Amino acid sequence: MSGFAAALFDMDGVVVDTEATVAAFWRSVARDEGFAISDEDMDRHVHGRSALHTLRHVFPDLPEHRHGEVYERMRVDNETLRYSGIPGASALLAALADGGVPLALVTGAQSWKADAVLGQLGLAGLFGVRVSAEDVAAGKPDPACYRLAAERLGVPIARCVVFEDAVSGVTSAVAAGATCVALAAPHRVDAVRAAGASAVVGDLSGVRFDAALGVLDLDGAVALPLSGARAARAVTP
């Protein structure tokens, strides 16, 4: 894990805290269709997945000609929300940008949601590259989105560190050839590690970028070298 040259970030659950609002939206749609979404389906087919995937796998009886009304309902819902950042996300992104580390946002959400989130959080100018649902034919766990982000940054995917939270996102990043740091609550740690996460943190509040050393410190446990800095080393808490 030496010589990382760029940092790629998922949006929902990594930059912005939307897990509860995403769950509430899809549960509301399901109620209107006469059923409830199980926790298992929420983890497998909602969080970290594109809306099209959710519609196909959770709402298979909903005809395709009605997908448009769900997308419009989602757009109105998302554009009227007030968003809260994941603890430490804004500070880490600002430090990386100030340190000259190329940044990409890679989300399964539509671009209009990314616009709303980044605008509210004051992060719109930090990402040199953005990849959203419209940019790829298949969403996560397919690796295309992360490969496209690396290509647009002009950085080999093997020299990219990815921050993800969902199993599908971790799978996507690892399959693309990147090193993945997962944000996960204790009950999800085993799942994201099984998907290939190299390190796990609770949120980004304890993640620091030392521009002088070119090292990304993950909660005082592991340090990843960015921009060709020294090889990864253990850090004493």
Side-chain angles (χ1 to χ4, degrees):
M1 297 196 301
S2 62
F4 291 105
L8 283 53
F9 288 77
D10 175 40
M11 186 174 74
D12 292 291
V14 175
V15 173
V16 62
D17 186 359
T18 56
E19 181 167 334
T21 57
V22 167
F25 172 80
W26 287 109
R27 290 191 193 280
S28 175
V29 175
R31 280 196 303 272
D32 291 348
E33 296 301 317
F35 70 98
I37 300 179
S38 69
D39 290 342
E40 180 183 1
D41 276 344
M42 194 66 68
D43 283 338
R44 291 181 60 198
H45 299 304
V46 175
H47 296 303
R49 297 288 193 166
S50 68
L52 180 59
H53 174 94
T54 301
L55 286 168
R56 286 176 172 172
H57 290 268
V58 182
F59 299 84
D61 296 328
L62 191 72
E64 286 196 14
H65 73 265
R66 292 191 57 208
H67 287 187
E69 68 185 64
V70 177
Y71 289 138
E72 177 61 15
R73 180 173 171 178
M74 182 188 302
R75 184 190 66 77
V76 172
D77 179 77
N78 281 272
E79 289 185 340
T80 57
L81 291 173
R82 299 305 301 174
Y83 294 104
S84 298
I86 292 293
S90 293
L92 175 60
L93 287 165
L96 289 167
D98 288 346
V101 177
L103 301 175
L105 184 76
V106 185
T107 176
Q110 300 290 320
S111 58
W112 49 258
K113 181 178 180 181
D115 289 340
V117 168
L118 297 182
Q120 280 193 32
L121 299 182
L123 303 174
L126 298 184
F127 294 98
V129 162
R130 282 168 48 179
V131 174
S132 55
E134 302 95 323
D135 294 312
V136 291
K140 303 169 186 176
D142 190 278
C145 55
Y146 281 112
R147 289 174 178 161
L148 178 60
E151 179 183 337
R152 289 180 174 178
L153 285 174
V155 176
I157 189 64
R159 296 192 64 201
C160 294
V161 58
V162 170
F163 288 85
E164 266 286 357
D165 69 312
V167 169
S168 60
V170 174
T171 302
S172 171
V174 173
T179 293
C180 187
V181 176
L183 281 67
H187 69 281
R188 290 182 178 171
V189 169
D190 288 345
V192 294
R193 286 198 180 279
S198 297
V200 182
V201 295
D203 56 36
L204 298 176
S205 59
V207 180
R208 300 284 185 269
F209 177 58
D210 186 328
L213 293 177
V215 167
L216 191 66
D217 184 343
L218 305 179
D219 279 341
V222 174
L224 303 181
L226 291 174
S227 300
R230 72 181 81 177
R233 58 184 174 82
V235 177
T236 303

